[in-house]
């Protein structure tokens, strides 16, 4: 239990204004916490991200025409795992005023919503770690196995067939529930990743990683769908940015493990052993995570045919997924090879480069998430997807410090698409088809990734990285146009309003 005390000594006249004026201390708050008056200067929470909450206001005379006004808060945040990050900001915000602080989402969260989003963000860290690990280590695994670049590229392409596992697991999430499917997928992905440390050749690595990647992508998908089903209507993009930042933390941990590869020819395997640290976190979440309320409501209704607009929405978002990853997948997957072969970076220098240029993703997602909920998604998404790709392309043509700066700016702009463009994947489909539809969009994304990797590899060998990505950037430019012309504005609209079949 946390206790926060604020005490002021005032004149009697000033104290009366502080206590009884507009938004005075003796009126219920309606900011981060919605209060109910209990009498005697005591208030409890009707809604807020707290499991327990009590505010008491006392007035004590201390002399001629002077009083001490004490405001005391006793509460326990409903934010598991991340509570330490919010403890001080939340306490300060309670003391300082009755407006939402700058870091707060546009809407007030209930205790249930805060707990679920916090737990899902913790699982997103694991998904981000597992999803990044292979791309960061494949160049070192290739060396140990004596495989060529083309063989490693072919392996990465084959691993993308794991999307079939993702689709199957996602469809299961629409039938048996988000919670159970998510927890099973998380456990399987972690164990398969750990098993990668034991593989004897590139073929076995490909097979084991196909299982791990398929399950980890299903895990990430279900985390995203689950969280946005629980989020307030006016804060879905903000929640998407929080999940993106959590996944980015997992990716950073994966990147941070890369220097282990400098310990020896087989030391890259240690990064996959680190995955086992995620199992206790999955168990922690399993004991506290309820089922999605929207899924519980929808499963009691007869399963109807998809509405007429379902197919057109699916096609629009599938084209988007394909076109975005046509550029983004090779830009990400081939960067380590580019830095190692074209710029002569060691594993440690690659890690330093990645960490120093990727940190901008966090601020990009945070700012864009709040702006998207307050001002709209479409313009931000269009600028982010096209601008991020342009800066990424530019960095492949340069060396030295300009290369570092350009990719940092590109990373910031690309990160804005997580809450602005990515949120449509949950908003455009009804509850009983939301996970499955996202799985199918994953197929389109994998197709774009495979095409981009194959094309980038061939063009980079023939003409260099700059020319290769100059061709592939047509994908993000197309997406920027599609978003402005064909995407609806979904800001602050409920999922039931966007998908009347759920009403």
């Amino acid at each position: 239990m946390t206790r926060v005390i604020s005490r002021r000594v005032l004149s009697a006249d000033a104290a009366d204004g502080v206590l009884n004026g507009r938004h005075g201390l003796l009126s219920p708050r309606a900011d981060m916490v919605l209060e109910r008056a209990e009498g005697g200067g005591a208030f409890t929470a009707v809604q807020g991200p707290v499991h327990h909450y009590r505010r008491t206001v006392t007035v004590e005379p201390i002399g001629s025409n002077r009083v001490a006004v004490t405001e005391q808060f006793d509460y326990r945040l409903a934010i598991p795992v991340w509570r330490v990050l919010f403890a001080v900001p939340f306490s300060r915000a309670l003391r300082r005023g009755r407006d939402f602080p700058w870091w707060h989402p546009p809407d007030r969260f209930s205790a249930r919503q805060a707990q679920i989003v916090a737990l899902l963000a913790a699982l997103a860290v694991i998904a981000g770690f597992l999803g990044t690990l292979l791309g960061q280590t494949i160049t070192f695994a290739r060396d140990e196995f004596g495989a060529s670049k083309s063989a490693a590229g072919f392996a990465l392409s084959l691993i993308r067939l794991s999307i079939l596992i993702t689709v199957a697991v996602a469809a299961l999430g629409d039938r048996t529930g988000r919670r159970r499917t998510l927890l099973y997928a998380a456990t399987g992905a972690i164990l398969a990743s750990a098993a990668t440390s034991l593989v004897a050749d590139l073929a076995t690595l490909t097979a084991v990683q196909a299982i791990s990647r398929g399950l980890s992508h299903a895990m990430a998908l279900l985390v995203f769908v689950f969280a946005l089903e629980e989020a307030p209507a006016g804060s879905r993009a903000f929640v998407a940015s929080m999940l993106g930042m959590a996944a980015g933390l997992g990716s950073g941990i994966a990147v941070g493990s890369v220097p282990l590869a400098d310990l020896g020819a087989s030391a890259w395997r240690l990064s996959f052993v680190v995955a086992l640290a995620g199992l206790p976190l999955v168990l922690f979440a399993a004991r506290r995570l309820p089922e999605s309320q929207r899924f519980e409501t929808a499963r009691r209704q007869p399963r109807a045919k998809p509405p007429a607009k379902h197919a057109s929405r699916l096609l629009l978002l599938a084209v988007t997924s394909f076109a975005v990853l046509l550029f983004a997948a090779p830009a990400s997957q081939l960067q380590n090879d580019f830095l190692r072969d074209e710029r002569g970076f060691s594993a440690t220098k690659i890690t330093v480069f990645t960490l120093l240029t990727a940190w901008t993703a966090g601020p990009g997602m945070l700012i864009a998430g709040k702006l998207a909920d307050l001002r709209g998604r479409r313009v931000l998404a269009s600028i982010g997807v096209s601008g991020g790709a342009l800066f990424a392309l530019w960095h492949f043509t340069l060396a030295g410090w300009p290369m570092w700066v350009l990719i940092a700016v590109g990373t910031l702009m690309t990160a804005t698409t997580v809450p602005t463009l990515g949120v449509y994947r949950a908003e455009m489909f009804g509850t009983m088809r939301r996970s499955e539809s996202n799985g199918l969009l994953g197929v389109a994304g994998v197709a774009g990734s495979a095409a981009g990797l194959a094309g980038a590899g061939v063009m980079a060998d023939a003409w260099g990285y700059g020319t290769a990505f100059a061709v592939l950037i047509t994908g993000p430019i197309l997406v920027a146009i599609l978003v402005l012309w064909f995407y609806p504005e979904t800001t602050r609209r409920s999922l039931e309003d966007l998908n009347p079949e759920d009403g």
Side-chain angles (χ1 to χ4, degrees):
M1 187 75 70
T2 301
R3 172 167 290 179
V4 176
I5 299 175
S6 176
R7 188 172 185 269
R8 287 177 280 182
V9 177
L10 304 166
S11 67
D13 290 340
D16 181 66
V18 168
L19 294 168
N20 302 306
R22 187 171 180 266
H23 303 310
L25 297 185
L26 292 179
S27 62
R29 296 174 68 121
D31 42 66
M32 297 185 301
V33 178
L34 179 63
E35 293 181 341
R36 175 176 55 232
E38 297 290 326
F43 302 84
T44 56
V46 176
Q47 185 187 48
V50 287
H51 283 312
H52 170 85
Y53 176 92
R54 185 174 181 83
R55 180 172 69 93
T56 55
V57 179
T58 57
V59 181
E60 178 186 2
I62 58 172
S64 177
N65 200 39
R66 293 182 71 78
V67 297
V69 178
T70 302
E71 186 178 30
Q72 178 174 307
F73 301 87
D74 294 283
Y75 64 91
R76 182 161 56 91
L77 282 174
I79 306 177
V81 183
W82 310 96
R83 185 177 293 122
V84 66
L85 298 180
F86 289 91
V88 173
F90 193 85
S91 295
R92 287 180 175 176
L94 287 177
R95 285 197 302 263
R96 289 182 176 179
R98 297 190 167 215
D99 295 322
F100 286 123
W102 65 267
W103 51 264
H104 197 277
D107 292 324
R108 182 187 307 111
F109 275 54
S110 67
R112 172 191 168 90
Q113 290 168 332
Q115 177 169 310
I116 289 176
V117 171
L119 290 171
L120 292 174
L123 294 178
V125 174
I126 301 175
F129 176 86
L130 298 176
T132 305
L133 202 51
L134 180 62
Q136 294 296 315
T137 55
I138 186 65
T139 186
F140 307 105
R142 175 172 65 81
D143 278 354
E144 182 187 351
F145 298 140
S148 65
K149 287 184 182 180
S150 59
F154 182 65
L156 289 173
S157 296
L158 283 179
I159 287 171
R160 276 167 170 73
L161 294 176
S162 64
I163 190 61
L164 300 177
I165 297 175
T166 302
V167 172
V169 174
L172 191 63
D174 278 339
R175 286 159 178 77
T176 64
R178 316 299 193 215
R179 177 186 176 277
R180 180 188 302 177
T181 310
L182 169 59
L183 295 173
Y184 282 146
T187 303
I190 290 170
L191 294 177
S193 184
T196 305
S197 65
L198 305 175
V199 300
D201 50 44
L202 186 61
T204 310
L205 180 146
T206 302
V208 175
Q209 270 297 295
I211 296 172
S212 179
R213 293 291 290 271
L215 292 175
S216 67
H217 287 165
M219 176 189 176
L221 182 157
L222 289 165
V223 162
F224 181 77
V225 167
F226 196 162
L228 267 66
E229 286 181 343
E230 291 288 332
S235 296
R236 286 193 299 266
F238 187 91
V239 168
S241 71
M242 293 295 99
L243 296 177
M245 290 177 68
L249 174 60
S251 296
I253 295 172
V255 172
S257 73
V258 171
L260 292 171
D262 285 338
L263 298 176
S266 299
W268 60 270
R269 299 170 183 269
L270 296 175
S271 296
F272 290 91
V273 177
V274 175
L276 292 173
L279 286 177
L281 190 55
V282 173
L283 180 61
F284 180 86
R287 292 173 175 171
R288 294 163 177 80
L289 193 63
E291 182 56 87
S292 161
Q293 281 187 331
R294 277 192 165 90
F295 177 80
E296 291 283 25
T297 300
R299 77 189 306 178
R300 293 192 290 266
Q301 301 172 357
R303 189 176 176 87
K305 292 182 178 180
K309 62 186 175 184
H310 176 82
S312 60
R313 287 181 170 183
L314 189 61
L315 177 61
L316 177 62
L317 268 68
V319 172
T320 298
S321 295
F322 181 95
V324 165
L325 288 171
L326 182 72
F327 181 93
S332 172
Q333 294 286 336
L334 299 181
Q335 178 164 276
N336 281 7
D337 275 338
F338 167 74
L339 294 174
R340 193 170 181 228
D341 298 338
E342 301 292 326
R343 299 294 181 257
F345 281 24
S346 65
T348 300
K349 192 171 182 180
I350 289 174
T351 299
V352 172
F353 177 87
T354 304
L355 293 177
L356 290 182
T357 58
W359 70 269
T360 56
M365 280 186 276
L366 184 62
I367 295 169
K370 194 154 188 177
L371 285 177
D373 279 327
L374 294 173
R375 304 295 183 187
R377 289 107 155 82
R378 293 166 58 247
V379 173
L380 282 171
S382 181
I383 293 173
V385 71
S386 57
L390 284 168
F391 277 96
L393 162 62
W394 198 358
H395 109 282
F396 277 111
T397 66
L398 298 175
W401 67 264
M403 178 181 72
W404 297 60
V405 173
L406 289 172
I407 194 58
V409 175
T411 298
L412 183 149
M413 298 189 72
T414 300
T416 66
T417 65
V418 173
T420 56
L421 189 59
V423 73
Y424 282 99
R425 296 170 69 103
E427 293 177 331
M428 301 282 269
F429 305 108
T431 300
M432 297 309 290
R433 291 179 177 82
R434 190 165 286 130
S435 293
E436 184 178 28
S437 298
N438 273 263
L440 294 174
L441 294 178
V443 175
V446 165
S449 298
L453 283 166
V458 172
M459 289 187 289
D461 285 340
W463 306 317
Y465 284 92
T467 302
F469 286 104
V471 174
L472 296 177
I473 202 172
T474 54
I477 299 300
L478 171 64
V479 170
I481 296 170
L482 289 176
V483 169
L484 289 176
W485 283 3
F486 297 106
Y487 272 60
E489 186 53 74
T490 58
T491 300
R492 307 199 71 81
R493 295 176 63 186
S494 71
L495 295 178
E496 287 74 23
D497 179 33
L498 294 167
N499 303 282
E501 64 270 27
D502 282 348

